[in-house]
Amino acid sequence: MALRTTVPRLTRCLRPFSSLSHVDETGKAAMVDVGLKDEQQRRSATATSRVWLGEAAFQALHEDRIAKGDVLSVAKVAGIQAAKQTSALIPMCHPLLLSHVRVDLHLEERNHAVRVEAQVSCKGPTGVEMEAMTAAAVASLTVYDMCKAVSKSIRITDLQLEHKSGGKSGTYRREENAVPSAA
């Protein structure tokens, strides 16, 4: 029996190729050419996530008793680094010269959680939504990594785009309790 060496083509279930920006005329993945776009347009995005630590890990973090060190500072730096490396992690993302990255981590005592907020901006030909999402995700993963010795039950949830501005699609702001619409 011969081994199958090709991956089944997912394009059979996709919309017509011409309506997808990252698919060529044959249905294969392709990077969008942003070379003709206005490179001076300011673009920004904010993404958030939440790390549910549980009581024991939250108390250890709050009392600075995590063996790996200063969790919030390390997670902040990890998020900033991640935003700058997004194009190396997400195949169809273009490398961008980011002008600003901010990652804030807020302790939520009532929930025994950490809320992560990442803001990214640039002047460039394409948006920074993925950079903001990547920053929030990696900051959250760093909190998990540094606290996992206290609890393996830590959960990362609610990774989402909160706001974006600039570009052809204009401004987006998440509405409270928004549910994705069917395409």
Side-chain angles (χ1 to χ4, degrees):
M1 177 178 197
L3 291 174
R4 186 175 181 166
T5 58
T6 59
V7 177
R9 293 192 44 153
L10 297 175
T11 56
R12 289 182 211 124
C13 62
L14 295 175
R15 295 176 280 162
F17 306 136
S18 62
S19 68
L20 300 173
S21 63
H22 285 76
V23 176
D24 69 15
E25 61 281 349
T26 67
K28 293 183 180 175
M31 192 171 216
V32 172
D33 181 359
V34 296
L36 299 176
K37 289 186 175 183
D38 178 12
E39 290 190 35
Q40 296 307 309
Q41 187 168 12
R42 180 165 171 74
R43 298 163 189 270
S44 66
T46 302
T48 59
S49 62
R50 183 166 277 113
V51 185
W52 301 86
L53 296 170
E55 190 173 354
F58 184 86
Q59 280 306 118
L61 173 61
H62 188 262
E63 296 168 4
D64 199 24
R65 291 186 289 111
I66 299 295
K68 287 189 172 187
D70 183 352
V71 174
L72 302 181
S73 293
V74 173
K76 180 177 187 150
V77 172
I80 292 168
Q81 283 297 107
K84 298 189 308 182
Q85 295 298 318
T86 300
S87 67
L89 300 169
I90 311 293
M92 298 302 170
C93 285
H94 292 82
L96 297 173
L97 181 59
L98 302 179
S99 54
H100 180 73
V101 179
R102 190 178 99 210
V103 177
D104 294 318
L105 294 98
H106 307 280
L107 296 178
E108 295 180 336
E109 191 165 1
R110 190 174 117 236
N111 297 321
H112 299 121
V114 177
R115 182 174 183 274
V116 179
E117 181 177 295
Q119 295 181 333
V120 179
S121 61
C122 78
K123 285 186 178 179
T126 189
V128 290
E129 297 97 306
M130 292 308 298
E131 286 73 10
M133 298 277 284
T134 301
V138 171
S140 297
L141 287 166
T142 302
V143 171
Y144 179 93
D145 176 58
M146 295 185 74
C147 296
K148 69 185 180 209
V150 180
S151 174
K152 301 289 190 278
S153 298
I154 297 168
R155 291 180 300 129
I156 298 170
T157 64
D158 304 320
L159 176 63
Q160 58 194 18
L161 180 67
E162 298 292 343
H163 176 264
K164 66 106 18 222
S165 64
K168 185 170 72 173
S169 64
T171 299
Y172 164 83
R173 186 170 306 280
R174 176 174 295 283
E175 295 176 24
E176 195 168 324
N177 301 318
V179 177
S181 60

